[in-house]
């Protein structure tokens, strides 16, 4: 079903799958809808009245999830045949697959830069795949039950995963460390990141939708509306709405009202960092660019304070100097009074004031180009982080190759041992 939220009157009902539908996602451009089903196929629909679709015979078992890449050119699917497959959207053809899971694969998602794919399943593992080398570069195994869902945050530096044991975990990919762990009483079936990366919603089998504050590391809202397990939740792209769907046959739409803080207060909260966890913490991870859904000023606003000279004697009652406009007013009043202000220092100050050379500096010493300099530093740090990530991936691949060589060598030595002993007894070997 595709609903028109503007008119709240029309809906499109598309029929084509032969079994239960397990996943639905719009393409980034909005001109396609991908669906996965237990009938082993994936369909690409045009969200129009006709409801035309193209069928992709994807797997040999039920397809559990389908997701577009962030550019919309590829699809990734996960299936009960223990494989993860990647498809070309334009050609509707198979590209490559990953086959190291040992049980059903529940979910698979692209990273924002499309260099990685994360997948999870009933083998209790979360695997990270390199889309260029087609190798598994990391495997996280810290679950007491099946891993039900996995996804990257919008910065691409962390992944979150949920489990049938009621756990929700967030991992830092740069250090391969668990940085946050939330425990629910019921199975967590789905979750979704807010665009700011500051909040997350979860859908649980106890019929509730929960909202987590990732900066403070705590549960802030529990929403009751469904009458059965909540199977899926998702934020809208601008973060203003989120939806939930459950076993009661209802799809509920919720309005977001908890991300009203400006960037300045969020950064101050970052600096205070209420979590006692050792670094790195999710509060240490800043987004690479300003969120577009809240317009932000492009200049640094500071209150300038004049340098202290003999003539700049106008102060607030608490001892702090005031802005340049009030200082000039005070100087004019002092000049008008003219009582005992003929010293050399005041004459020099008046001459400098008339010539326009009185220097007023920011009391904190911030130069005007601070904003661009900080942006340049952030870009350089991003490049450094990506370089370190590539080096770590290559080191992991080298270690794997070395282990394979050592295992192969040990097998040869074990095979040659009995041959040598048998050869001394006069037997001939081919």
């Amino acid at each position: 079903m595709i609903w028109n939220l503007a008119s709240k009157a029309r809906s499109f009902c598309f029929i084509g799958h032969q079994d239960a539908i397990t996943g639905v996602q719009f393409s980034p451009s909005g001109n396609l809808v991908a669906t996965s089903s237990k009938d082993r196929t994936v369909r690409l629909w045009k969200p129009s009245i006709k409801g035309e679709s193209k069928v992709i015979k994807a797997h040999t078992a039920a397809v559990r999830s389908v997701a577009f890449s962030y550019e919309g050119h590829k699809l990734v699917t996960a299936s009960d045949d223990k494989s993860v497959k990647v498809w070309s959207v334009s050609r509707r053809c198979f590209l490559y697959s990953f086959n190291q899971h040992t049980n059903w694969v529940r979910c698979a998602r692209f990273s924002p830069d499309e260099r990685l794919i994360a997948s999870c399943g009933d083998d209790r593992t979360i695997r990270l795949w390199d889309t260029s080398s087609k190798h598994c570069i990391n495997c996280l195994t810290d679950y007491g039950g099946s891993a039900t869902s996995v996804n990257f945050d919008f910065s691409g530096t962390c992944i979150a995963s949920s489990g049938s044991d009621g756990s929700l975990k967030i991992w830092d990919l740069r250090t391969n460390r668990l940085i946050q762990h939330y425990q629910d009483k019921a199975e967590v079936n789905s979750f979704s990141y807010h665009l700011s990366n500051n909040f997350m919603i979860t859908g649980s089998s106890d019929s509730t939708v929960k909202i987590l504050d990732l900066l403070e590391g705590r549960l802030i809202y529990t929403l009751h509306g469904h009458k059965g397990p909540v199977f899926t939740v998702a934020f809208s792209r601008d973060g203003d709405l989120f939806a939930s769907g459950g076993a009661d046959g209802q799809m509920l739409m919720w309005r977001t009202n908890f991300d009203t803080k400006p960037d300045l207060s969020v950064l101050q909260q970052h600096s205070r960092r209420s979590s006692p966890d050792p670094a790195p913490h999710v509060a240490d991870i800043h987004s690479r660019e300003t969120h577009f859904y809240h317009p932000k000023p492009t200049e640094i606003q500071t209150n300038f304070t004049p340098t202290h000279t003999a003539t700049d004697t106008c102060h607030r009652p608490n001892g702090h100097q005031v802005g340049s406009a009030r200082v000039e007013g005070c100087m004019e009043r002092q000049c008008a009074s003219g009582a005992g202000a003929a010293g050399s220092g005041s004459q020099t100050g008046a001459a400098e004031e008339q010539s326009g050379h009185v220097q007023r500096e920011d009391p904190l010493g911030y130069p005007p180009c601070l904003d661009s300099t900080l942006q340049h530093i952030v870009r350089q740090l991003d490049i450094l982080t990506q370089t370190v990530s590539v080096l770590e991936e290559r080191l992991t691949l080298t270690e794997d190759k070395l282990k394979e060589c050592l295992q192969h060598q040990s097998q040869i030595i074990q095979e040659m041992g009995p041959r040598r002993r048998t050869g001394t007894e006069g037997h001939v070997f081919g």
Side-chain angles (χ1 to χ4, degrees), residues 56-74:
I56 298 177
K57 296 181 179 179
H59 293 269
T60 58
V63 186
R64 291 290 178 177
S65 78
V66 61
F68 283 95
S69 63
Y70 278 69
E71 294 295 332
H73 302 311
K74 297 177 183 177

Side-chain angles (χ1 to χ4, degrees), residues 94-375:
F94 168 77
L95 296 179
Y96 50 86
S97 64
F98 306 114
N99 301 288
Q100 292 187 22
H101 279 284
T102 58
N103 208 330
W104 295 355
V105 188
R106 295 285 184 177
C107 182
R109 293 290 187 268
F110 276 100
S111 64
D113 57 7
E114 302 184 12
R115 294 190 304 123
L116 299 175
I117 289 176
S119 61
C120 66
D122 287 2
D123 58 0
R124 304 181 181 183
T125 65
I126 297 95
R127 291 183 179 270
L128 285 175
W129 311 89
D130 189 333
T131 57
S132 58
S133 65
K134 313 300 187 296
H135 287 97
C136 178
I137 60 175
N138 201 356
C139 181
L140 306 173
T141 57
D142 193 16
Y143 277 92
S146 301
T148 57
S149 183
V150 64
N151 204 355
F152 292 84
D153 68 350
F154 285 95
S155 67
T157 57
C158 293
I159 60 169
S161 56
S162 58
S164 60
D165 58 353
S167 61
L168 177 72
K169 299 181 179 181
I170 301 177
W171 311 78
D172 189 340
L173 298 181
R174 298 166 296 184
T175 58
N176 292 329
R177 289 183 58 183
L178 177 67
I179 56 176
Q180 283 195 355
H181 180 197
Y182 301 90
Q183 189 64 44
D184 200 342
K185 296 180 180 179
E187 177 180 359
V188 180
N189 298 311
S190 177
F191 64 88
S192 178
Y193 271 104
H194 188 264
L195 187 61
S196 64
N197 286 334
N198 297 338
F199 302 93
M200 180 183 288
I201 53 174
T202 64
S204 305
S205 294
D206 60 356
S207 307
T208 64
V209 175
K210 296 180 176 65
I211 302 176
L212 305 174
D213 188 326
L214 301 183
L215 293 182
E216 297 183 1
R218 65 184 181 91
L219 172 68
I220 56 176
Y221 295 112
T222 299
L223 307 177
H224 300 272
H226 288 279
K227 299 178 181 179
V230 181
F231 289 142
T232 182
V233 291
F235 273 108
S236 61
R237 290 181 183 173
D238 57 5
D240 292 338
L241 301 170
F242 62 94
S244 59
D248 56 358
Q250 293 188 100
M251 189 274 292
L252 303 181
M253 189 73 66
W254 310 79
R255 185 174 299 280
T256 303
N257 60 357
F258 50 80
D259 192 26
T260 58
K261 299 178 181 179
D263 277 357
L264 181 59
S265 62
V266 172
L267 290 176
Q268 290 175 351
Q269 192 171 13
H270 272 261
S271 63
R272 288 193 296 267
R273 218 181 87 179
S274 59
S275 173
D277 296 340
H281 185 262
V282 71
D284 300 321
I285 302 171
H286 303 277
S287 60
R288 297 184 179 179
E289 58 185 2
T290 305
H291 309 310
F292 59 83
Y293 57 92
H294 285 313
K296 301 297 184 299
T298 57
E299 297 179 353
I300 298 178
Q301 299 178 356
T302 57
N303 294 324
F304 290 95
T305 305
T307 56
H308 183 68
T309 63
T311 57
D312 297 339
T313 57
C314 182
H315 297 271
R316 293 185 188 273
N318 58 2
H320 295 286
Q321 297 176 353
V322 298
S324 59
R326 294 187 180 181
V327 170
E328 291 174 357
C330 292
M331 292 176 66
E332 289 174 1
R333 288 194 296 271
Q334 288 176 356
C335 293
S337 62
S344 60
S346 62
Q347 292 175 356
T348 304
E352 290 178 352
E353 180 68 22
Q354 291 176 359
S355 60
H357 295 293
V358 176
Q359 298 293 327
R360 294 183 172 86
E361 299 176 354
D362 184 1
L364 298 180
Y366 290 154
C369 60
L370 178 62
D371 191 21
S372 60
T373 303
L374 289 177
Q375 291 179 359

Side-chain angles (χ1 to χ4, degrees), residues 48-99:
S48 60
I49 297 178
K50 294 181 179 180
E52 300 175 350
S53 67
K54 300 289 185 179
V55 181
I56 298 177
K57 296 181 179 179
H59 293 269
T60 58
V63 186
R64 291 290 178 177
S65 78
V66 61
F68 283 95
S69 63
Y70 278 69
E71 294 295 332
H73 302 311
K74 297 177 183 177
L75 279 173
V76 60
T77 57
S79 171
D80 286 356
D81 62 6
K82 307 176 186 179
S83 69
V84 176
K85 295 186 178 183
V86 179
W87 309 81
S88 170
V89 175
S90 59
R91 293 181 292 166
R92 273 78 170 174
C93 67
F94 168 77
L95 296 179
Y96 50 86
S97 64
F98 306 114
N99 301 288

